[in-house]
């Protein structure tokens, strides 16, 4: 087996271990997100697409990490070349995704507010939207998008407080039938600020993961290139140094004696 720099080899193995950790973190994050965003068993197309994408990215990251670690450990040129190609493609793709995400981050607040305003008034929304909002209100213990009045006078049960919530002081009384002077105890906090906080958190984590993958891909690209260069250099046929063969010199002068 060709001898290579053990420090480069070990560095590539360690970097792929970090790759595997990031891949496992992506899969775990997708699983937590899937469980946390199950609003009354409502299927959301955008949510489902995002979850599938996270699972695919996490699995591919794990496979690439295993390929790179195997190539470094076994000093396999084929595995290292395949890993190098994956690193080049991965670096380009992560930078292509990460830079636009970071650029759109300051504009998210305005876009989210505009989309939330389209849901109002909530009492006139379609049944699927109401079901999603009910799930959000139950999860975050909030009521309405921006205020309780978003429901007009049709306040749903998901806004109502129980005894424990009233004891915690997160509720307030509102009139929902002015003529009869009837009141309901509802959650004080609107849902939009709470949901926006979690969305920003998920978005920032996604940006961090993308740039972390970009840095790891760049590191893997560099290390695998160095390792391949060492394997190629060490695999060249050795040049045999054969000492030059000279013609024997002229015989030493010998005095010729004439016997006669």
């Amino acid at each position: 087996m060709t001898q290579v720099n053990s420090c480069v080899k070990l560095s590539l193995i360690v970097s792929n271990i970090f790759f595997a950790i990031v891949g496992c973190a992506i899969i775990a994050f997708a699983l937590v997100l899937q469980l946390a965003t199950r609003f009354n068993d409502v299927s959301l197309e955008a949510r489902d697409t995002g979850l599938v994408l996270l699972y695919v990215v996490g699995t591919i990251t794990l496979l690439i990490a295993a390929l790179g670690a195997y190539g470094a450990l076994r000093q396999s040129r084929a595995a290292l070349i395949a890993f190098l190609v994956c690193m080049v493609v991965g670096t380009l793709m992560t930078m292509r995704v990460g830079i636009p995400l970071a650029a759109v981050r300051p504009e998210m607040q305005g876009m989210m507010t505009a989309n939330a305003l389209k849901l109002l008034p909530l009492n006139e929304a379609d049944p699927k939207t109401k079901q999603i909002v009910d799930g959000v209100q139950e999860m975050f213990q909030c009521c309405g998008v921006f205020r309780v009045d978003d429901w007009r006078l049709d306040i749903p049960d998901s806004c109502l407080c129980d005894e424990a919530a009233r004891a915690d002081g997160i509720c307030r009384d509102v009139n929902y039938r002015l003529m009869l002077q009837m009141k309901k105890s509802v959650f004080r906090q609107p849902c939009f600020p709470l949901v926006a906080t979690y969305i920003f958190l998920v978005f920032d984590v996604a940006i961090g993961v993308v740039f972390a993958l970009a840095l790891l891909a760049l590191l893997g690209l560099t290390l695998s290139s160095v390792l391949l260069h060492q394997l190629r250099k060490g695999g060249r046929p050795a040049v045999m140094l054969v000492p030059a063969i000279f013609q024997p010199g002229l015989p030493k002068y010998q005095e010729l004696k004439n016997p006669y």
Side-chain angles (χ1 to χ4, degrees), residues 54-115:
L54 285 175
Y55 283 124
V56 170
V57 171
T59 304
I60 291 176
T61 303
L62 282 175
L63 292 177
I64 293 176
L67 177 66
Y70 173 81
L73 188 63
R74 298 295 184 183
Q75 298 182 22
S76 170
R77 292 186 184 181
L80 286 173
I81 291 173
F83 178 75
L84 178 62
V85 173
C86 292
M87 291 300 96
V88 173
V89 175
T91 302
L92 295 176
M93 289 184 63
T94 50
M95 296 304 294
R96 175 67 180 83
V97 173
I99 293 175
L101 283 178
V104 80
R105 173 64 170 79
E107 304 174 5
M108 281 189 60
Q109 182 73 31
M111 293 188 298
M112 290 171 57
T113 303
N115 290 329

Side-chain angles (χ1 to χ4, degrees), residues 30-245:
L31 182 60
V32 171
L33 198 62
Q34 181 178 2
L35 297 175
T37 56
R38 186 178 295 173
F39 302 132
N40 295 337
D41 296 327
V42 179
S43 178
L44 302 176
E45 183 177 354
R47 164 186 170 273
D48 295 339
T49 303
L51 290 174
V52 170
L53 182 61
L54 285 175
Y55 283 124
V56 170
V57 171
T59 304
I60 291 176
T61 303
L62 282 175
L63 292 177
I64 293 176
L67 177 66
Y70 173 81
L73 188 63
R74 298 295 184 183
Q75 298 182 22
S76 170
R77 292 186 184 181
L80 286 173
I81 291 173
F83 178 75
L84 178 62
V85 173
C86 292
M87 291 300 96
V88 173
V89 175
T91 302
L92 295 176
M93 289 184 63
T94 50
M95 296 304 294
R96 175 67 180 83
V97 173
I99 293 175
L101 283 178
V104 80
R105 173 64 170 79
E107 304 174 5
M108 281 189 60
Q109 182 73 31
M111 293 188 298
M112 290 171 57
T113 303
N115 290 329
L117 288 172
K118 295 178 182 179
L119 302 177
L120 305 181
L122 291 174
N123 61 313
E124 298 179 4
D126 60 272
K128 185 175 181 179
T129 300
K130 288 182 179 180
Q131 194 173 4
I132 296 172
V133 174
D134 282 338
V136 172
Q137 291 178 157
E138 291 177 358
M139 175 181 294
F140 292 100
Q141 292 188 330
C142 55
C143 187
V145 178
F146 300 101
R147 60 186 69 86
V148 180
D149 296 338
D150 294 338
W151 287 103
R152 301 287 175 84
L153 299 180
D154 190 15
I155 299 175
D157 292 339
S158 58
C159 278
L160 302 182
C161 295
D162 54 15
E163 292 296 333
R166 284 193 290 269
D168 292 337
I170 59 174
C171 306
R172 67 187 183 95
D173 294 333
V174 295
N175 297 321
Y176 71 101
R177 289 186 181 177
L178 297 178
M179 298 297 297
L180 300 177
Q181 294 293 316
M182 299 182 67
K183 294 184 177 182
K184 283 185 177 182
S185 180
V186 300
F187 294 113
R188 185 188 305 273
Q189 184 72 23
C191 294
F192 181 79
L194 300 175
V195 175
T197 300
Y198 279 91
I199 291 177
F200 280 127
L201 177 62
V202 171
F203 197 81
D204 292 340
V205 169
I207 293 177
V209 169
V210 169
F211 281 107
L213 286 175
L215 291 175
L216 287 173
L218 189 59
L219 179 61
L221 188 155
T222 304
L223 293 174
S224 58
S225 299
V226 173
L227 199 58
L228 279 170
H229 176 71
Q230 292 180 356
L231 287 173
R232 181 182 178 186
K233 184 178 179 181
R236 291 176 180 174
V239 179
M240 300 296 295
L241 298 177
V242 181
I245 301 176

